[in-house]
Amino acid sequence: MTRGYAAFPTRFPLYNAPDDLPPQYGCGPIKFNGSNNALYERHLLFDNALSPSEVGDRERYEAIARSVRDVLSQRWQQTEETYSRENPKRVYYLSMEFLIGRSLSNNILNLRLDPMARRFFAENQLDELAILAQEPDAGLGNGGLGRLAACFLDSMATMQLPGMGYGLRFEYGMFKQQIVNGWQCEQPDNWLRRPDPWEVARPQLAVTIEFGCSFEVRGGNLKATAGASTLLGIPYDRPIVGYGGKTINTLRLWASAATNSFDFQGFSAGEFVSALAERLTAETVTRVLYPDDSTSMGQGLRFVQEYFLVACSLADLVRRFRLNNSDWNCLPDKVAIQLNDTHPCLTVPELMRILLDDAGLDWELAWDITKRMLAYTNHTLLPEALEKWPLRWFELMLPRHLEIILEIDRRLREEIVTRWPEDNDRAERAGIVERGAGHLVRMAHLAIAGSHSTNGVAAIHSRLLRDVTVRDLAELYSDRFSNKTNGVTPRRWLLMSNPGLANCITNAIGDRWITNMADLELLKPLAEDGEFIAAVGMAKRQAKLRFAEWLKSQAGIQVDPDTIFDSQIKRIHEYKRQLLNGLRIVALYNRLRENPHVDMQPRTFFFAGKAAPAYQVAKLIIKFLNNLADTIDGDPAVHGRLRVVFLPEYCVSMAERLIPASDVSNQISTAGYEASGTSNMKFMMNGALTIGTRDGATIEMAEAAGEENFFLFGLTAEQVAAGRDWYNPWWHYENEPETRAVLDLILSGHFTRHEPMIVDALRNILLIGGDTYRHLADLGSYMAADLRLQSLYTKQEAWTRRAILNIASSGKFSSDRTIAEYANEIWHVSPCPVP
């Protein structure tokens, strides 16, 4: 039987041969034995100076985490020493977000310590779940962008690639989400309130960053004023453990600090607050992930954060390069930099500044080196997400960078005019500086011009990026554009999150799939094996029971595991269409009210996700979903048949529990708007069936598993684009009886009693405002797909058979495959095994 799939890269193996791996549940290359129990007891006593009777679960968590870090530290250091000695080409992944989740359980798994850890918890009579829950989810990201970055770091370490992540050490995450009277309320996410046992401060490697302005906190905002200033970037390192513990790479996060943190003379004179002003101002830069960008002050802070990340990271990697290399011309042979979306795109002018001003190179050589080093990943087709920064900010804060950007723009325009002399508008459309009102710098254009590679993250996204979003630049630099469909790490999202299903797979085909997901193809014949079908069905049942028990203990919410678990968990946004899902639920609710005896499978609908604080429509959608949940919950006519649950404070740890338990995955974005999606891949890998549109990576997933094993519906991206000039939601209201019944019930105030403002807002979104995201256009086909879904669920063996085919086809969507493509085709890097 042929293993894998044709597109799988073969330039280097994903992992060592099977006989080089320890048994799946045996001792790995790093051992955890009796001496580690002594490590734990030592940390428990000496880190806390408390007797055993006085410590709690938090202190136990820290002691265990520090013990595990002690175990891996030598290997971590050996990894860095190997890179220094071998001097390979290294990958530096720059991202504003790294949504890494909890580290203790993941590091135990990747170090192959899980059997010993379970024995340790049992012998010491410790509550494993209670202790693991003491670790907060790191507040370093918000959604798919940051989780993708975390998966990529896991894959690079597992594949023994010399890689490193660079990000910011946000003191506060985006926010903690609370639901009050149905509305989202934001609370501070002070995830670093207690010591983080995984991070290692490196103050000796601090870098100084210069700005062309000064900063002060005025009226609660960070403001730029005349005069130069400096900030310190303090690095904090976190270990990134590859599976098996053979390679342990580093995620380096930068914290901002003042060069002079305390004005002693001012304090002595009684100016107690102003004596600390410089320190407070400096630390503001990395205080919060994603400041409110609805104000110019919030946008300005974001701009400063992005430059701070870029400047610190480039200074650090150049320092590392210069330790072993003296020739600047060798930079592209030793360094590959991947820009994760537009946030780190100031890397282009900053690298040029270093090469021009510090290295003394001429423009042509500096520009050639810059392009050969940099690669850019685009993650969005939404115009508002393609960052543009005002020219005046560069004039005030980064005047040298503005000179460089203007020269890049001038040369780019000359190149365009030379190639298309008759097209008078092309240079303006493709230029880096938008010369209209405000004079804005287009960061995506800057990244494309200043790099050798631009990639999208799903086939449809890459095509639309080339053909629509940046068409002029794609025609100019056609050889620079490619597709790299996203992937997720199977270690966290299957092996760790779903041990029951992982055991089924391993018992059937062995454990090579953990580092070679192409092996899951071997499961396809087992979709006809009754014993394997039963085992997979039992694993799903166990996952649902575990989630139901966890939800009751954590939130006091009781759900029925015998119902269909139907989930949509992701950032709340109009284009992701949580509102369309709400319309579907109202339609089902109407059917039950009109005919209580209708044949309908009992269903629990789960929603989770955060709305950006300034995104009022997204917050309104959350409110509507919670009102919908309350109304249905209080209606005895549908009791036990429909249930809606909105889970606040969505995070990686919640996803690790809900995804394995879900029967249905909703991927229902307006076609042509979702770049890729990665939650869709996690659900597929865990045996949920997808009901979704032909958008993002869902298209490729359906191709891999067969469209007959998906519930696809709705307009295509081409149909959405073609209808922009003539689409009218009123047609659907007037001509589709169920659509009219759904809207009439909503607009009657049935779900929003005494809240006319919500009714007015929904009417405007769906009807008066033109239904931008085509909710009504797709509702009818969504309901038809839902009917097919319900029919199949009544045939549990057939349902599980399709689930198995989805699992078996999910190998292509491993981040190992994605990283192998980046390594082979963009970075041109090879593994550097640690002896």
Side-chain angles (χ1 to χ4, degrees):
M1 180 182 295
T2 302
R3 288 189 164 196
Y5 38 86
F8 208 91
T10 57
R11 177 164 155 249
F12 58 81
L14 287 180
Y15 206 71
N16 291 340
D19 58 5
D20 189 46
L21 279 170
Q24 182 184 2
Y25 296 110
C27 293
I30 299 175
K31 297 189 182 297
F32 194 78
N33 49 40
S35 64
N36 298 108
N37 201 44
L39 272 179
Y40 163 72
E41 293 171 355
R42 178 181 176 85
H43 278 295
L44 200 60
L45 174 62
F46 293 112
D47 293 352
N48 299 288
L50 294 172
S51 69
S53 61
E54 294 178 289
V55 299
D57 284 343
R58 173 67 198 192
E59 290 75 22
R60 295 187 183 98
Y61 154 71
E62 290 182 14
I64 294 170
R66 290 193 174 102
S67 299
V68 173
R69 202 187 83 181
D70 289 348
V71 171
L72 65 82
S73 290
Q74 185 177 19
R75 193 69 179 173
W76 191 9
Q77 180 60 24
Q78 287 173 346
T79 300
E80 188 57 40
E81 289 174 353
T82 299
Y83 295 163
S84 179
R85 181 178 64 253
E86 299 297 327
N87 194 22
K89 185 174 185 179
R90 299 177 69 168
V91 180
Y92 297 97
Y93 197 85
L94 271 64
S95 179
M96 190 61 76
E97 294 186 44
F98 287 94
L99 195 59
I100 58 176
R102 291 171 173 164
S103 294
L104 177 56
S105 52
N106 189 71
N107 288 344
I108 287 174
L109 177 92
N110 277 5
L111 290 169
R112 314 292 293 279
L113 301 177
D114 36 324
M116 286 67 73
R118 283 195 296 271
R119 188 162 60 247
F120 166 82
F121 279 110
E123 290 174 352
N124 288 275
Q125 297 181 321
L126 300 176
D127 185 336
E128 179 178 357
L129 294 180
I131 289 174
L132 293 177
Q134 294 301 310
E135 180 178 10
D137 276 51
L140 300 172
N142 174 44
L145 180 84
R147 186 52 235 171
L148 179 77
C151 286
F152 279 6
L153 293 187
D154 175 276
S155 287
M156 279 190 264
T158 296
M159 297 161 67
Q160 303 182 69
L161 292 174
M164 186 171 187
Y166 279 123
L168 295 181
R169 182 181 180 267
F170 299 105
E171 183 179 347
Y172 291 84
M174 188 174 180
F175 58 82
K176 279 194 175 296
Q177 183 190 54
Q178 294 182 349
I179 303 298
V180 178
N181 192 29
W183 291 100
Q184 171 181 290
C185 295
E186 300 90 21
Q187 300 295 327
D189 177 21
N190 188 7
W191 72 283
L192 286 173
R193 181 176 59 88
R194 300 289 296 266
D196 184 349
W198 298 108
E199 65 177 16
V200 179
R202 311 282 192 194
Q204 72 278 13
L205 298 178
V207 297
T208 302
I209 306 303
E210 297 181 356
F211 287 87
C213 63
S214 296
F215 298 99
E216 62 181 45
V217 177
R218 188 189 306 164
N221 294 309
L222 185 70
K223 296 190 176 183
T225 60
S229 66
T230 59
L231 287 177
L232 280 183
I234 311 295
Y236 288 78
D237 289 352
R238 304 178 68 91
I240 303 298
V241 182
Y243 186 70
K246 296 193 172 216
T247 292
I248 300 180
N249 283 335
T250 298
L251 170 59
R252 177 158 289 181
L253 303 173
W254 298 100
S256 58
T259 51
N260 296 304
S261 60
F262 182 69
D263 180 356
F264 181 78
Q265 291 182 339
F267 187 87
S268 298
E271 298 173 359
F272 304 126
V273 176
S274 61
L276 293 168
E278 184 179 352
R279 173 183 173 183
L280 294 173
T281 300
E283 292 176 353
T284 298
V285 172
T286 53
R287 187 85 69 193
V288 179
L289 167 68
Y290 289 142
D292 182 357
D293 60 3
S294 65
T295 67
S296 60
M297 294 299 174
Q299 294 167 5
L301 176 54
R302 185 65 173 171
F303 178 76
V304 172
Q305 286 181 335
E306 291 181 2
Y307 177 65
F308 183 74
L309 164 65
V310 162
C312 290
S313 303
L314 286 185
D316 191 62
L317 69 86
V318 167
R319 173 194 60 80
R320 190 174 292 105
F321 166 79
R322 297 289 286 172
L323 290 175
N324 293 314
N325 307 275
S326 58
D327 186 355
W328 289 96
N329 290 282
C330 294
L331 257 174
D333 301 322
K334 296 297 181 182
V335 174
I337 299 174
Q338 189 69 37
L339 309 177
N340 193 30
D341 214 10
T342 53
H343 307 135
C345 289
L346 285 168
T347 297
V348 176
E350 174 66 6
L351 183 54
M352 282 294 289
R353 183 199 65 77
I354 292 170
L355 296 174
L356 293 170
D357 299 350
D358 297 346
L361 305 183
D362 62 55
W363 180 278
E364 299 297 341
L365 179 56
W367 186 237
D368 177 67
I369 290 173
T370 295
K371 289 188 294 183
R372 288 166 58 200
M373 288 175 63
L374 302 186
Y376 162 59
T377 298
N378 174 279
H379 283 278
T380 184
L381 299 170
L382 296 176
E384 64 268 25
L386 294 173
E387 290 180 315
K388 300 177 184 179
W389 295 124
L391 212 66
R392 66 180 185 276
W393 290 2
F394 286 90
E395 292 174 341
L396 178 62
M397 293 184 243
L398 303 171
R400 176 57 175 146
H401 296 74
L402 177 58
E403 294 176 352
I404 293 170
I405 289 171
L406 292 177
E407 179 62 13
I408 296 171
D409 183 55
R410 183 189 69 79
R411 290 171 179 250
L412 173 62
R413 289 171 182 268
E414 282 187 357
E415 188 176 0
I416 293 170
V417 170
T418 300
R419 185 164 172 183
W420 291 281
E422 304 301 323
D423 191 341
N424 297 326
D425 297 328
R426 184 180 287 259
E428 181 54 39
R429 293 195 306 265
I432 293 166
V433 179
E434 188 177 281
R435 294 179 175 175
H439 286 78
L440 302 173
V441 178
R442 298 166 170 145
M443 301 308 293
H445 291 209
L446 179 62
I448 293 168
S451 62
H452 72 275
S453 169
T454 294
N455 71 277
V457 291
I460 184 176
H461 168 242
S462 296
R463 175 172 60 79
L464 292 173
L465 179 68
R466 292 191 307 267
D467 296 348
V468 179
T469 309
V470 291
R471 178 178 176 179
D472 296 302
L473 286 170
E475 290 178 351
L476 180 64
Y477 302 126
S478 59
D479 59 327
R480 299 185 188 180
F481 282 75
S482 68
N483 175 60
K484 299 289 175 282
T485 298
N486 283 342
V488 300
T489 170
R491 270 77 62 183
R492 182 180 284 268
W493 292 111
L494 180 49
L495 182 62
M496 186 179 84
S497 301
N498 200 344
L501 179 58
N503 284 338
C504 284
I505 295 171
T506 297
N507 291 337
I509 63 172
D511 65 2
R512 278 176 51 99
W513 65 270
I514 299 170
T515 54
N516 185 4
M517 282 278 285
D519 274 14
L520 292 184
E521 291 275 349
L522 299 172
L523 295 175
K524 286 189 173 179
L526 297 178
E528 304 299 327
D529 184 298
E531 187 176 344
F532 187 70
I533 291 172
V536 171
M538 181 57 69
K540 177 64 70 175
R541 174 72 177 169
Q542 290 171 349
K544 293 175 76 170
L545 289 170
R546 283 197 305 272
F547 177 74
E549 182 181 352
W550 173 82
L551 187 60
K552 183 180 179 180
S553 67
Q554 294 296 308
I557 299 173
Q558 193 158 349
V559 294
D560 182 359
D562 290 324
T563 62
I564 301 173
F565 279 10
D566 188 311
S567 299
Q568 187 178 15
I569 51 175
K570 54 184 72 241
R571 181 168 50 96
I572 308 296
H573 198 290
E574 289 172 273
Y575 86 82
K576 293 180 183 289
R577 297 202 297 190
Q578 286 90 354
L579 183 54
L580 175 61
N581 198 348
L583 297 180
R584 174 182 62 142
I585 296 169
V586 174
L588 297 174
Y589 174 64
N590 254 343
R591 291 177 186 177
L592 283 172
R593 293 170 74 228
E594 293 173 1
N595 180 9
H597 303 294
V598 68
D599 186 16
M600 186 182 298
Q601 291 297 308
R603 192 103 58 108
T604 303
F605 297 92
F606 292 102
F607 292 90
K610 295 181 179 180
Y615 193 175
Q616 296 305 318
V617 173
K619 297 174 87 167
L620 178 82
I621 292 170
I622 292 176
K623 168 63 173 171
F624 172 69
L625 294 174
N626 278 289
N627 280 19
L628 184 61
D630 290 343
T631 302
I632 290 176
D633 209 32
D635 191 335
V638 298
H639 181 72
R641 304 188 69 181
L642 286 185
R643 181 86 187 277
V644 178
V645 179
F646 189 96
L647 300 169
E649 189 54 20
Y650 178 53
C651 59
V652 173
S653 298
M654 182 188 293
E656 290 168 356
R657 296 176 181 276
L658 179 53
I659 289 173
S662 296
D663 298 298
V664 178
S665 163
N666 284 264
Q667 306 296 331
I668 58 175
S669 54
T670 310
Y673 282 82
E674 184 72 83
S676 171
T678 50
S679 71
N680 48 7
M681 302 169 185
K682 297 161 194 166
F683 279 109
M684 181 189 195
M685 194 177 288
N686 282 275
L689 298 191
T690 299
I691 183 169
T693 52
R694 291 173 173 84
D695 198 27
T698 300
I699 297 173
E700 295 163 72
M701 291 161 52
E703 289 173 352
E707 288 201 1
E708 68 276 11
N709 297 310
F710 274 58
F711 304 102
L712 298 178
F713 71 90
L715 302 176
T716 65
E718 290 74 18
Q719 290 169 329
V720 170
R724 286 193 177 119
D725 295 331
W726 54 261
Y727 171 69
N728 183 3
W730 287 101
W731 185 93
H732 296 278
Y733 177 78
E734 293 165 356
N735 290 277
E736 296 174 354
E738 186 162 58
T739 297
R740 177 184 290 202
V742 166
L743 289 178
D744 284 349
L745 188 63
I746 292 172
L747 300 181
S748 72
H750 183 78
F751 303 103
T752 52
R753 301 188 190 281
H754 313 299
E755 296 174 305
M757 175 269 293
I758 298 175
V759 172
D760 292 342
L762 292 173
R763 180 184 291 110
N764 185 66
I765 293 168
L766 295 171
L767 289 171
I768 298 173
D771 188 19
T772 303
Y773 295 99
R774 305 298 188 267
H775 299 81
L776 302 191
D778 280 352
L779 179 58
S781 58
Y782 191 17
M783 298 309 300
D786 188 81
L787 198 60
R788 300 195 304 272
L789 183 156
Q790 292 186 61
S791 176
L792 182 66
Y793 196 80
T794 63
K795 310 174 185 71
Q796 272 298 292
E797 186 170 312
W799 178 280
T800 307
R801 185 178 297 114
R802 292 197 188 185
I804 291 169
L805 292 173
N806 271 264
I807 297 165
S809 303
S810 66
K812 179 182 177 181
F813 306 102
S814 164
S815 52
D816 294 352
R817 185 271 311 157
T818 313
I819 287 299
E821 291 181 0
Y822 274 98
N824 291 340
E825 300 167 20
I826 295 178
W827 303 331
H828 306 294
V829 297
S830 300
C832 182
V834 181

